C-alpha cells in the first residue's frame, strides 16, 4: 500500500516532537530537578504503556494486525493474539533486550548531559544504523552519504569537546558528569544500530542469511511492538 506524502510528513513531525520532548523531559527530571527514581522502573512503566497502547490500537482497528484472518480467524480476540505473539516471538528477545538497556542508559545520559549535547549525540544513531546495515544486511551506501555521516560525527566531536572544556574549567554549575553521560550515550548509539537492524529483519519476517518465511503470518509493526514490549518488561523484572 502506497503511503501518501502528507502521511509521511505527519509521521516525521511526530517523531521530531517525540524525540525533542523526550530529551527535554528526561533532562529536566534528572538534571534539573534531580529526581531519584529508579531507571529500571521508569523503563518498565514506559514499556507497559507501549504494550497497552498497541493492544488498544489493534482492538479498536486503528492498528492492523497480521493475525487478522490467519488460520481461519483462529486468533480473533486480543487475548489469543497476545498469546500467539508471545509464544512465537522467535529472536524478538534480542532487540527487546537491546532496547531495554538502551532506554535505561538514555536516562543516565540525560542526567549528565545538557539537552543540546544529548540531542546532538543521539543523531549518531544514523551512523550506527548505517554501519550495521552494511555489515549485517550487506547494503551498499553511496560515497556522498558516507561524507554526510562523517560530518555528523565531526559535529558530535566538536560539541563534546566544548562540553569537556567547560567541565574541566569548572564553568558548569551542576554536579553532572559529562564523561559518564557521553559513555552512556555512545553505548546507546552502538546498541541502537544493531537493534534497529534486528527489528527490520523481524518486520520483514526474515532471519539472518535467510529469505522471508512465508509459512508464518506477516506480522505488523503493532504485533512486533507487543512482542518487544513484553520481553522488555520480562527482562526488566528479571
Amino acid at each position: 500500500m502506497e503511503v501518501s506524502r502528507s502521511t509521511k510528513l505527519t509521521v516525521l513531525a511526530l517523531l521530531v516532537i517525540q524525540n525533542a520532548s523526550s530529551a527535554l523531559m528526561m533532562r529536566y527530571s534528572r538534571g534539573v530537578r534531580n529526581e531519584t527514581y529508579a531507571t529500571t522502573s521508569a523503563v518498565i512503566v514506559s514499556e507497559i504503556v507501549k504494550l497497552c497502547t498497541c493492544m488498544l490500537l489493534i482492538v479498536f482497528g486503528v492498528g492492523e494486525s497480521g493475525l487478522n484472518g490467519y488460520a481461519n480467524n483462529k486468533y480473533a480476540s486480543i487475548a489469543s493474539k497476545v498469546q500467539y505473539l508471545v509464544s512465537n516471538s522467535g529472536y524478538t528477545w534480542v532487540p527487546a533486550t537491546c532496547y531495554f538497556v538502551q532506554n535505561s542508559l538514555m536516562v543516565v545520559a540525560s542526567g549528565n548531559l545538557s539537552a543540546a549535547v544529548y540531542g546532538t549525540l543521539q543523531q549518531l544513531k544514523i551512523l550506527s544504523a548505517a554501519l550495521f546495515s552494511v555489515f549485517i544486511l550487506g547494503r551498499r551506501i553511496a560515497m556522498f552519504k558516507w561524507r554526510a555521516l562523517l560530518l555528523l560525527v565531526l559535529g558530535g566531536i566538536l560539541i563534546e569537546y566544548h562540553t569537556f572544556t567547560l567541565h574541566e574549567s569548572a564553568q558548569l554549575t551542576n554536579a553532572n558528569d559529562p564523561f559518564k553521560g557521553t559513555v552512556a550515550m555512545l553505548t546507546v548509539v552502538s546498541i541502537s544500530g544493531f537493534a534497529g537492524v534486528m527489528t527490520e529483519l523481524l518486520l520483514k519476517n526474515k532471519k539472518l542469511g535467510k529469505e522471508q518465511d512465508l509459512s508464518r503470518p506477516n506480522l505488523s509493526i503493532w504485533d512486533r511492538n507487543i512482542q518487544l514490549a513484553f520481553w522488555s518488561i520480562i527482562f526488566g523484572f528479571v
Side-chain angles (χ1 to χ4, degrees), residues 29-187:
S29 66
R30 300 287 288 191
V32 178
R33 294 184 59 87
N34 294 318
E35 298 288 350
T36 57
Y37 55 83
T39 302
T40 303
S41 299
V43 176
I44 289 176
V45 170
S46 67
E47 293 297 333
I48 292 175
V49 171
K50 182 171 74 174
L51 176 65
C52 294
T53 300
C54 292
M55 291 172 60
L56 288 174
L57 288 174
I58 291 176
V59 168
F60 290 106
V62 179
E64 184 66 26
S65 174
L67 294 175
N68 289 339
Y70 176 69
N72 296 322
N73 208 26
K74 179 180 179 181
Y75 306 100
S77 66
I78 187 62
S80 60
K81 285 185 173 69
V82 172
Q83 182 181 4
Y84 177 89
L85 292 172
V86 172
S87 59
N88 293 273
S89 296
Y91 59 91
T92 308
W93 65 271
V94 176
T97 302
C98 292
Y99 284 129
F100 181 86
V101 175
Q102 171 188 319
N103 291 335
S104 300
L105 290 175
M106 285 174 67
V107 178
V108 176
S110 65
N112 291 279
L113 297 172
S114 67
V117 175
Y118 177 91
T120 302
L121 291 181
Q122 193 176 34
Q123 302 312 309
L124 294 178
K125 290 180 179 180
I126 301 174
L127 173 62
S128 176
L131 291 174
F132 278 105
S133 66
V134 169
F135 294 137
I136 297 180
L137 301 179
R139 288 179 177 165
R140 298 178 63 87
I141 298 179
M143 186 57 64
F144 73 92
K145 293 183 179 180
W146 284 116
R147 288 198 296 268
L149 292 172
L150 178 61
L151 291 175
L152 181 65
V153 173
L154 292 177
I157 293 174
L158 287 175
I159 195 170
E160 274 303 282
Y161 175 77
H162 179 66
T163 301
F164 281 120
T165 301
L166 292 177
H167 180 67
E168 292 175 358
S169 60
Q171 295 185 43
L172 294 178
T173 58
N174 50 43
N176 296 346
D177 186 349
F179 179 78
K180 180 180 179 181
T182 301
V183 171
M185 199 64 223
L186 292 179
T187 305

Side-chain angles (χ1 to χ4, degrees), residues 139 199-206 212-213 218 224:
R139 288 179 177 165
T199 302
E200 181 178 346
L201 290 174
L202 284 170
L203 290 174
K204 293 181 177 179
N205 213 20
K206 292 182 178 180
Q212 184 175 5
D213 187 358
N218 189 19
R224 291 301 186 185

